[in-house]
């Protein structure tokens, strides 16, 4: 054992920690589109099955030229904004009541648990009867769909606020309102904000579904019309718009999170 | 202002935690409470500060808190309890905001306590940027901001490493020498108790009762030079505590 030399100890601590590889994502994206375009050009993919990306782009360009893009997008964004904002505000208010008041918890938490898992699309016909075929039923569907996940995220967040911090607030004689505003609200925010991502995704799904009934304008209406005419290039253009919409919303929420939770890292 | 505990009893469910605690807590001095872990020291401190209601007995306040005192019974917690989303300055300001001070007045108090705890340079830092010792100094600054009549400290140094603990212990001695605050200091560390306590109260294992009260007459700022005397006190307390701690250690937790 005393002799010199020997082998270095083998390294075995690698892996299990994803590194950011910034360019890989866009590269995969470009590669898939290029392959798809090539497949269509060579006839490997028949145009009736899947139009080429360039055709979808042409349909998009046509939308921009005719000015219809803004009409569709404007109608959709307005529904999304009104429905999501109202649903989120109501959801946070109810989530806080459940988190703070025993009576609200006992009374509302079971109701929320019962309605949360229902796909809200199933209720769309009901909303049409209640709120009319126009904007009312569409906004109501989105509102309803975003309300429940927000409630659940909010009261989960309130429940998880460090009890020691609340006790500290009480020990310094802070008022009830101060404790809620300065300790519980910021403490629940790290749970509420990720809930925004989920509710925004749900809102986009419900938007498209709601626009498939009795809407003249809207991205969903555009897609539905394209589908019934078998205009697959337009359909793909519509889907691309939705994807960009989703990415934009996600990016906005990420900015908001970085701003509001800048105390974290 | 002084505090008197009279016949305090407390328990959780079937567990009896404190039994018949009678204690006088004088002003201007530090009372250390020591005892084996789980004997109810933290519970006792929560009862003293009104964070919990005793099952029987009462905590009585005699005399009035000094003028200008915003929160007579003020805690310093083992886990610091700083708001991570507020800066050092914001954490101190938190406890002043409900008192209706003007902006300049608040700033004056905050500047004052940050200077007294030598934290002025770090006023804009967030808690995550600070070491444990610094965090506890922020908590001390926050406590001083409300000019307490009593500082109630629950193992304030136990979350810190040994070196930081030593530094902060010196800080507390200095602070007492300057401000002569009244304090109740809970610890399981006998060395801390004999360094800081004018009076050391030893609790028995659960259910906690007062086992022994030791008066140490040396002034706090002179104790560094009296190591042998303190060591004698410490080892006598340890003799008493060891049997309690051993018995508590081998008890079943839910027994
Ligand atoms: N909120 C509580 N609910 C139930 N049991 C508790 C609670 N707080 C403390 N206890 C129990 O009371 C006993 C004393 O606890 P504690 O005062 O924290 O002891 P110490 O601070 O001396 O270590 C322990 O057995 C603990 O499990
Ligand atoms: Mg304790």
């Amino acid at each position: 054992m005393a002799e010199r030399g020997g082998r270095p100890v083998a390294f075995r601590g690698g892996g299990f920690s994803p590194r950011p590889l910034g360019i890989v994502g866009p590269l995969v994206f470009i590669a898939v589109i290029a392959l798809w375009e090539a497949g269509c050009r060579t006839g490997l993919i028949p145009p009736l099955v899947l139009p080429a990306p360039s055709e979808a782009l042409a349909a998009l360009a046509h939308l921009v030229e005719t000015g219809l893009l803004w009409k569709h997008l404007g109608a959709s964004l307005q529904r999304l904004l009104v429905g999501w904002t109202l649903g989120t505000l109501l959801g946070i208010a109810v989530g806080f009541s459940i988190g703070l008041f025993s009576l609200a918890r006992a009374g509302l938490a079971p109701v929320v648990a019962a309605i949360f898992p229902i796909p809200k699309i199933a209720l769309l016909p009901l909303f049409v009867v209640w709120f009319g075929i126009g904007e009312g039923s569409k906004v109501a569907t989105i509102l309803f769909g975003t309300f429940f996940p927000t409630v659940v995220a909010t009261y989960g967040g309130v429940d998880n606020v460090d009890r020691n911090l609340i006790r500290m607030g009480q020990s310094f004689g802070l008022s009830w309102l101060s404790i809620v505003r300065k300790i519980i609200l910021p403490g629940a925010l790290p749970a509420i904000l990720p809930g925004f991502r989920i509710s925004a995704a749900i809102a986009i799904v419900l938007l498209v579904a709601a626009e498939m009934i009795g809407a003249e304008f809207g991205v969903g209406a555009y897609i539905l019309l394209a589908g019934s005419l078998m205009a697959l290039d337009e359909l793909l253009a519509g889907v691309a718009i939705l994807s960009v919409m989703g990415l934009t919303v996600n990016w906005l929420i990420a900015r908001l999170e970085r701003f509001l939770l800048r105390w974290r890292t | 202002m002084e505090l008197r505990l009279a016949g305090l009893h407390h328990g959780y469910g079937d567990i009896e935690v404190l039994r018949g605690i009678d204690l006088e807590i004088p002003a201007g001095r530090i009372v250390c409470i020591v005892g084996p872990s789980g004997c109810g020291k933290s519970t006792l401190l929560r009862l003293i500060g009104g964070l919990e209601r005793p099952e029987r007995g009462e905590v009585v306040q005699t005399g009035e808190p000094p003028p200008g005192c915003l929160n007579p019974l003020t805690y310093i917690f083992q886990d610091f309890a700083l708001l991570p989303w507020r800066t050092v300055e914001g954490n101190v300001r938190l406890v002043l905001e409900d008192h209706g001070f003007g902006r300049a007045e608040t700033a004056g108090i905050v500047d004052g306590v940050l200077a007294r705890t030598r934290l002025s340079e770090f006023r804009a830092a967030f808690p995550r940027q600070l070491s444990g010792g610094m965090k506890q100094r922020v908590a001390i600054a926050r406590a001083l901001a409300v000019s307490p009549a009593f500082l109630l400290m629950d193992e304030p140094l136990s979350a810190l490493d040994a070196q930081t603990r030593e530094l902060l212990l010196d800080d507390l001695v200095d602070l007492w020498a300057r401000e002569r605050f009244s304090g109740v200091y809970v610890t399981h560390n006998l060395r801390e108790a004999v360094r800081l306590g004018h009076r050391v109260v030893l609790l028995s294992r659960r259910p906690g009762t007062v086992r022994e009260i030791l008066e140490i007459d040396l002034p706090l700022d002179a104790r560094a030079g009296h190591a042998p005397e303190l060591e004698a006190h410490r080892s006598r307390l340890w003799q008493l505590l060891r049997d309690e701690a051993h018995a508590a250690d081998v008890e079943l937790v839910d027994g």
Side-chain angles (χ1 to χ4, degrees):
Chain A
M1 288 309 269
E3 70 200 80
R4 308 290 295 174
R7 287 172 293 125
V9 173
F11 173 67
R12 50 186 173 167
F16 304 106
S17 59
R19 282 172 297 144
L21 297 172
I23 50 160
V24 173
L27 276 183
V28 169
F29 199 71
I30 292 169
V32 168
I33 300 237
L35 272 178
W36 174 6
E37 181 74 39
C40 291
R41 290 276 165 95
T42 56
L44 216 63
I45 305 174
L48 275 181
V49 174
L50 194 65
S54 54
E55 288 173 56
L57 199 66
L60 202 60
H62 181 69
L63 262 184
V64 176
E65 277 161 27
T66 55
L68 280 174
L69 176 67
W70 309 116
K71 275 208 165 126
H72 290 305
L73 211 53
S76 288
L77 286 180
Q78 190 183 338
R79 290 167 191 144
L80 203 60
L81 207 68
V82 175
W84 182 83
T85 308
L86 290 179
T88 298
L89 289 180
L90 280 173
I92 289 179
V94 171
F96 259 86
S97 322
I98 293 179
L100 294 175
F101 306 113
S102 310
L103 187 65
R105 173 168 307 230
L108 292 177
V111 179
V112 169
I115 303 181
F116 186 30
I118 301 176
K120 305 304 175 294
I121 300 175
L123 300 177
L124 182 56
L126 197 63
F127 289 144
V128 170
V129 174
W130 289 353
F131 303 108
I133 192 105
E135 294 303 300
S137 61
K138 298 176 180 58
V139 169
T141 310
I142 296 171
L143 188 158
F144 222 61
T146 51
F147 172 76
F148 288 96
T150 309
V151 171
V152 172
T154 303
Y155 88 73
V158 172
D159 284 353
N160 271 329
V161 175
D162 188 349
R163 295 294 117 174
N164 289 337
L165 292 182
I166 296 175
R167 177 159 272 178
M168 180 277 293
Q170 292 175 321
S171 81
F172 278 96
L174 301 196
S175 67
W176 183 86
L177 203 64
S178 279
I179 292 179
V180 171
R181 266 181 45 224
K182 297 168 189 171
I183 298 179
I184 297 179
L185 178 64
L189 223 45
I192 296 176
L193 289 177
F196 282 11
R197 280 172 205 274
I198 295 167
S199 67
I202 292 175
I204 292 177
V205 171
L206 291 176
L207 169 78
V208 174
E211 284 178 344
M212 290 184 170
I213 297 181
E216 190 185 350
F217 292 109
V219 181
Y222 174 76
I223 292 176
L224 183 73
L225 186 68
S228 57
L229 297 176
M230 288 305 279
L232 295 187
D233 51 344
E234 293 186 2
L235 189 144
L236 283 180
V239 171
I241 295 174
L242 285 181
S243 164
V244 171
M245 235 157 85
L247 287 174
T248 310
V249 167
N250 244 329
W251 179 80
L252 286 174
I253 294 172
R255 290 290 303 256
L256 187 71
E257 262 184 312
R258 250 208 324 241
F259 174 71
L260 288 177
L261 304 182
R262 61 189 180 284
W263 48 271
R264 279 212 299 202
T265 45
Chain B
M1 169 180 158
E2 309 197 336
L3 295 174
R4 193 177 73 241
L5 320 187
L8 278 190
H9 265 270
H10 200 63
Y12 297 101
D14 294 338
I15 306 178
E16 190 183 12
V17 176
L18 293 170
R19 178 188 288 172
I21 305 279
D22 294 300
L23 208 58
E24 302 274 337
I25 303 179
R29 287 149 62 89
I30 298 180
V31 173
C32 285
I33 297 179
V34 296
S37 80
C39 75
K41 303 184 292 294
S42 299
T43 307
L44 181 60
L45 205 66
R46 288 198 296 273
L47 294 176
I48 294 175
L51 285 181
E52 221 159 324
R53 223 193 289 273
E55 266 169 18
R56 264 180 291 146
E58 53 184 358
V59 180
V60 183
Q61 162 188 337
T62 53
E64 287 306 308
C69 167
L70 302 176
N71 189 48
L73 304 173
T74 296
Y75 284 89
I76 292 174
F77 299 94
Q78 179 176 353
D79 66 352
F80 324 125
L82 299 177
L83 301 185
W85 47 86
R86 286 199 178 214
T87 59
V88 167
E89 187 182 354
N91 266 288
V92 176
R93 211 168 339 97
L94 173 79
V95 299
L96 299 169
E97 283 166 354
D98 280 1
H99 291 282
F101 291 123
R103 189 183 284 229
E105 212 171 343
T106 305
I109 300 177
V110 172
D111 290 348
V113 294
L114 290 183
R116 274 149 75 196
T117 46
R118 296 185 318 250
L119 284 168
S120 303
E121 307 168 47
F122 304 98
R123 58 190 312 145
F126 282 98
R128 70 179 149 78
Q129 299 173 290
L130 303 174
S131 68
M134 294 287 283
K135 284 183 201 163
Q136 196 55 292
R137 272 162 58 194
V138 176
I140 293 171
R142 175 178 64 187
L144 294 178
V146 294
S147 323
F150 274 90
L151 277 180
L152 307 178
M153 297 170 271
D154 190 359
E155 309 214 17
L157 308 185
S158 293
L160 307 174
D161 63 77
Q163 293 146 30
T164 313
R165 202 148 51 201
E166 204 61 35
L167 291 175
L168 222 60
L169 200 55
D170 289 340
D171 277 3
L172 283 175
V173 170
D174 285 348
L175 189 70
W176 187 86
R178 272 184 285 135
E179 325 240 337
R180 305 274 155 164
F181 61 85
S182 324
V184 181
Y185 187 100
V186 164
T187 180
H188 62 256
N189 183 321
L190 296 178
R191 253 178 33 74
E192 284 173 23
V194 296
R195 276 284 296 284
L196 272 181
H198 298 94
R199 175 181 293 174
V200 181
V201 178
L202 178 70
L203 296 187
S204 69
R205 69 175 185 275
R206 209 183 68 213
T209 53
V210 177
R211 181 71 210 282
E212 175 91 13
I213 296 181
L214 174 72
E215 302 279 345
I216 304 180
D217 278 333
L218 291 167
L220 285 197
D221 29 356
R223 287 191 186 181
H226 291 265
E229 222 173 312
L230 291 186
E231 178 54 28
H233 284 308
R234 195 199 64 80
S235 75
R236 207 176 72 74
L237 284 169
W238 174 235
Q239 296 292 333
L240 295 168
L241 184 61
R242 188 169 50 191
D243 301 336
E244 297 286 345
H246 180 70
D249 202 38
V250 297
E251 257 170 22
L252 290 178
V253 169
D254 53 1

